[in-house]
Amino acid sequence: MKSSDSSTRRSIVAGAAVLLVALGGAGRAGAANPATGTVSATSPTASWTAGPFTVANVTAQSGTLACNQATQCDDYGLTVDVPAGYDAGNNLTVSVGWPDPAADFDVYAYDNAGTEVAEAATSADPETLVLAPVAGRYTVRVVPFNPLGQSYSATATLAAKPVGPAPGPVGATAYTNYAAPGTLPRAHEAGEPSIGVNWSTGKVLYQAYTDTYRVSFDDSAVPATAQWADKSARPPACTAVTSLDPILFTDHDTGRTFESQLAGKTSLTCLTDNDGDTWTPSQGGGFNSGVDHQTVGGGPYSAGGVGGTPLYPHAVYYCSQDIADALCSTSRDGGVTFGPAVPMYNLLQCGGLHGHVKVAPDGTVYVPNKGCGAGQAVAVSEDNGLTWQIRPVPGSLPGDTDPSVGIGSDGTVYFGYQNADGHARIAVSHDKGRTWTHDQDAGAGLGIQNSVFPAVVAGDPDRAAFAFIGTPTGGNYQDAANFKGVWHLYVAVTYDGGTSWSLTDATPTDPVQKGSICTAGTTCGSDRNLLDFIDVQLDKQGRVLVAYADGCTGGCASGGPQNADALATIARQSGGTTLFGAYDSKFLADLRVSAVNAQVSRPASGQLGATVTNTGRTTASGVVVRFTTSSGYVTTSAPVTVAPGQSVTVSVAWPTKGVHGTQTVTAYADPGNLVRESDESNNSASVSVRVPG
């Protein structure tokens, strides 16, 4: 389904036998100097050099890294001499760099048994590995993927883990998951989906491969129901019957949706203004666009560049990766035709693949990149795609999956990324990427050690959501033979501009994947079922909707082994504050006492009961009910949790010795107003009961 990402050159080394032979030293013509070294708490740095190298080793692209006299590798023996538990507060960072940024080396690390424990096989310079510093002997392998006669310099350094802000409380939001019905043509082939929301109609479009599914949500029920329909662009109106990359973008303001299917130097693109009922073909992109990894986006024009035409109110952008650079073309007629593609960056600036293009309310255009020199960055245009600047995110290290940006209504930029250590991090910029603040680990609240597929969306200036697939299992998540992590969909939200993030497991009872997840492109095996990314958008009320492929279904979800599925699924926010403050009250809990009863079983005792119903949209936790009677008796029930649409009955003992005649019993739900509700006036009800004298 996905043959692109050819420039993503990570590899899977097949078989322990191959590793052990390779680690024996084959093909070390440019041997490391010195050949070995040690790092410890008292001597935290080791350095070495090697080269020059003239012969390229591209064998990893075929799926198996080969090291011999014809295809050289260079090995360095690294001893880590630290006490037990040292890794809890420290990292081991290996950095390998070279003078000419047009060259390219890859780096792998193996433990003493020959098992790969980390790799950095991007186009970044330097390449960086971040490892847990556990005592032992390791082999650091440097592979001259495209050496251009260069030598390399390397350092291994022990250092304390950076201290970030404390994570916010977990579980600020809740999600209901909606899987596509099996009647849809390729519901189980939905790797790397895109999602769009038409704010005028409320319809949601979900794209995977050449299939476009329209989803209609009915919020009259709690939880909401979803109806899926196939609205795919098909011949003769649209001619794509296969694709190297699928992508979908909906301009939520105009309601226009674009579905793009990569076909080499351009794409077969169609657009719809009626949520997929009919489609119109487009030029697809600029005639000189790149060959891979396209993205489509759009938004208002910037005042700093050439403006639009009366044909369509917004600019539309088509950006893609080429061999030596990445390019972006602009459409001024609503995506029907595109101008020539303009380079965003070249290999001397960025080597990693880019993420999805996003446009700010003021027309500034952002394309994030996972490998620009020593870190990650955004390519930024403030003149409607005519010129571009690279703006790094300091402190970030090149990762394996595309980063993502979300843009608030005032232009605040949220940059979510997978760091070199696998952690899901996010940073904030208030000046279009020139400076960044609050860079932190968004997965810390639930101990997430590995993450893939970051996707970010923002609403009000201080509100954003960061979705990713993550696992609390550490280690090399691409090790198909040995990695045993269980992956879920997580969503972190901020309501204070990125100062703190609250993390929620959006699939708490249904893993998205078990075992490894390969992000190495077409060199992967069966663990590439999820392909390369997920997507996140907002509806008009600010609800978060995440499009993902569920790779663990049926027996896998109920405790069985991984089945490598890719079921089209949407996680839709069903509880918690949304990203638009104007709709806050609509999504709060609403507690009502729907029934009160009082029973007297004998003259000296009885029981009081009440049924509490939550007619709101958020789960209410810690709900107590206070009972009062006209004789002056007051008591409070034990706390309960009431989900949206749920009714819960509570009861308490009622001592009736000395009480007789008619009594009025009143039940008050949440008497201390500890639960935020959309209506605080409907929390009580009463009943009259006669107590025999």
Side-chain angles (χ1 to χ4, degrees), residues 276-654:
D277 284 337
T278 60
W279 294 88
T280 302
S282 156
Q283 177 186 340
F287 71 91
N288 57 332
S289 296
V291 298
D292 188 24
H293 214 67
Q294 94 281 25
T295 175
V296 179
Y301 285 94
S302 168
V306 178
T309 69
L311 297 174
Y312 190 74
H314 286 171
V316 179
Y317 298 94
Y318 177 95
C319 306
S320 53
Q321 202 88 27
D322 215 354
I323 304 303
D325 57 12
L327 308 104
C328 200
S329 56
T330 306
S331 171
R332 292 179 169 81
D333 59 7
V336 178
T337 63
F338 288 81
V342 174
M344 292 188 292
Y345 53 81
N346 57 45
L347 283 178
L348 300 183
Q349 299 170 298
C350 298
L353 294 176
H354 61 70
H356 298 327
V357 59
K358 302 283 183 71
V359 182
D362 70 350
T364 304
V365 188
Y366 298 88
V367 179
N369 188 288
K370 67 181 181 181
C372 296
Q376 305 194 35
V378 286
V380 181
S381 175
E382 298 183 66
D383 55 11
N384 303 323
L386 181 62
T387 61
W388 296 80
Q389 293 182 330
I390 306 304
R391 295 175 181 170
V393 180
S396 64
L397 296 172
D400 293 322
T401 61
D402 306 342
S404 176
V405 295
I407 307 169
S409 59
D410 69 339
T412 298
V413 180
Y414 297 85
F415 184 95
Y417 63 102
Q418 178 214 50
N419 204 36
D421 60 1
H423 288 220
R425 300 190 65 89
I426 191 159
V428 184
S429 177
H430 296 284
D431 56 7
K432 302 183 180 181
R434 293 178 176 87
T435 62
W436 297 87
T437 62
H438 303 312
D439 190 343
Q440 60 189 283
D441 187 344
L446 291 173
I448 304 305
Q449 299 300 310
N450 274 306
S451 66
V452 293
F453 311 154
V456 184
V457 68
D460 290 344
D462 58 350
R463 300 188 181 195
F466 178 19
F468 56 89
I469 307 297
T471 176
T473 302
N476 180 15
Y477 68 86
Q478 299 204 73
D479 184 347
N482 300 299
F483 189 78
K484 305 302 181 184
V486 176
W487 303 78
H488 286 246
L489 171 67
Y490 294 90
V491 183
V493 293
T494 182
Y495 303 107
D496 57 14
T499 302
S500 63
W501 294 82
S502 174
L503 186 64
T504 296
D505 183 346
T507 58
T509 62
D510 183 1
V512 173
Q513 184 94 335
K514 293 180 180 179
S516 58
I517 294 179
C518 183
T519 55
T522 55
T523 65
C524 293
S526 61
D527 57 352
R528 184 164 158 72
N529 53 307
L530 305 182
L531 299 181
D532 291 318
F533 55 81
I534 63 174
D535 197 11
V536 61
Q537 293 294 335
L538 301 179
D539 66 12
K540 191 174 183 179
Q541 291 76 37
R543 275 179 291 230
V544 177
L545 293 96
V546 185
Y548 69 100
D550 189 351
C552 177
T553 61
C556 174
S558 58
Q562 169 68 14
N563 63 343
D565 202 352
L567 177 60
T569 312
I570 295 174
R572 184 176 188 250
Q573 186 178 354
S574 55
T577 305
T578 75
L579 301 192
F580 292 146
Y583 294 91
D584 279 357
S585 62
K586 182 175 180 180
F587 295 98
L588 298 176
D590 186 12
L591 299 173
R592 304 185 183 192
V593 176
S594 53
V596 182
N597 63 78
Q599 298 177 352
V600 181
S601 57
R602 57 182 182 269
S605 68
Q607 188 177 67
L608 305 177
T611 300
V612 180
T613 300
N614 182 359
T615 61
R617 298 286 174 176
T618 298
T619 296
S621 301
V623 178
V624 299
V625 178
R626 185 179 66 199
F627 293 89
T628 64
T629 69
S630 53
S631 64
Y633 180 70
V634 180
T635 188
T636 301
S637 72
V640 294
T641 297
V642 191
Q646 184 182 23
S647 295
V648 177
T649 299
V650 299
S651 61
V652 296
W654 179 25

Side-chain angles (χ1 to χ4, degrees), residues 150-206:
Q150 296 286 291
S151 299
Y152 74 81
S153 300
T155 59
T157 306
L158 293 172
K161 293 179 179 179
V163 178
V170 299
T173 50
Y175 300 86
T176 300
N177 289 271
Y178 300 88
T183 54
L184 292 176
R186 278 186 287 264
H188 291 271
E189 299 178 37
E192 59 186 29
S194 306
I195 191 171
V197 185
N198 183 341
W199 286 7
S200 297
T201 66
K203 304 296 185 184
V204 177
L205 293 178
Y206 180 110

Side-chain angles (χ1 to χ4, degrees), residues 1-324:
M1 179 186 295
K2 167 91 169 170
S3 62
S4 59
D5 287 359
S6 56
S7 55
T8 305
R9 297 169 292 92
R10 298 183 49 117
S11 67
I12 300 299
V13 182
V18 174
L19 285 173
L20 293 174
V21 169
L23 292 177
R28 296 178 54 194
N33 182 26
T36 63
T38 300
V39 291
S40 66
T42 57
S43 181
T45 301
S47 300
W48 70 98
T49 61
F53 295 88
T54 58
V55 179
N57 182 349
V58 298
T59 57
Q61 283 191 322
S62 65
T64 300
L65 174 63
C67 297
N68 51 50
Q69 292 299 324
T71 55
Q72 296 180 5
C73 303
D74 188 69
D75 290 347
Y76 175 78
L78 177 65
T79 298
V80 178
D81 182 13
V82 294
Y86 185 83
D87 56 310
N90 298 274
N91 284 328
L92 170 61
T93 301
V94 177
S95 178
V96 177
W98 48 93
D100 185 352
D104 190 19
F105 291 77
D106 295 336
V107 187
Y108 304 81
Y110 306 94
D111 64 16
N112 198 44
T115 300
E116 182 186 318
V117 293
E119 60 179 272
T122 71
S123 299
D125 179 13
E127 289 280 20
T128 305
L129 296 177
V130 180
L131 308 170
V134 177
R137 180 174 173 81
Y138 298 83
T139 296
V140 179
R141 168 160 295 165
V142 180
V143 178
F145 183 84
N146 183 31
L148 301 181
Q150 296 286 291
S151 299
Y152 74 81
S153 300
T155 59
T157 306
L158 293 172
K161 293 179 179 179
V163 178
V170 299
T173 50
Y175 300 86
T176 300
N177 289 271
Y178 300 88
T183 54
L184 292 176
R186 278 186 287 264
H188 291 271
E189 299 178 37
E192 59 186 29
S194 306
I195 191 171
V197 185
N198 183 341
W199 286 7
S200 297
T201 66
K203 304 296 185 184
V204 177
L205 293 178
Y206 180 110
Q207 184 77 35
Y209 197 42
T210 59
D211 299 295
T212 307
Y213 302 145
R214 187 172 72 193
V215 189
S216 303
F217 290 98
D218 181 0
D219 286 301
S220 64
V222 179
T225 59
Q227 181 179 3
W228 293 69
D230 184 5
K231 293 294 179 179
S232 303
R234 302 295 189 203
C238 300
T239 58
V241 294
T242 187
S243 179
L244 300 176
D245 262 328
I247 201 74
L248 177 141
F249 163 70
T250 298
D251 187 331
H252 54 65
D253 291 332
T254 68
R256 178 166 291 186
T257 292
F258 304 84
E259 68 90 39
S260 172
Q261 307 298 337
L262 185 68
K265 291 289 286 184
T266 186
S267 289
L268 301 176
T269 300
C270 278
L271 58 92
T272 178
D273 291 315
N274 52 21
D275 299 325
D277 284 337
T278 60
W279 294 88
T280 302
S282 156
Q283 177 186 340
F287 71 91
N288 57 332
S289 296
V291 298
D292 188 24
H293 214 67
Q294 94 281 25
T295 175
V296 179
Y301 285 94
S302 168
V306 178
T309 69
L311 297 174
Y312 190 74
H314 286 171
V316 179
Y317 298 94
Y318 177 95
C319 306
S320 53
Q321 202 88 27
D322 215 354
I323 304 303

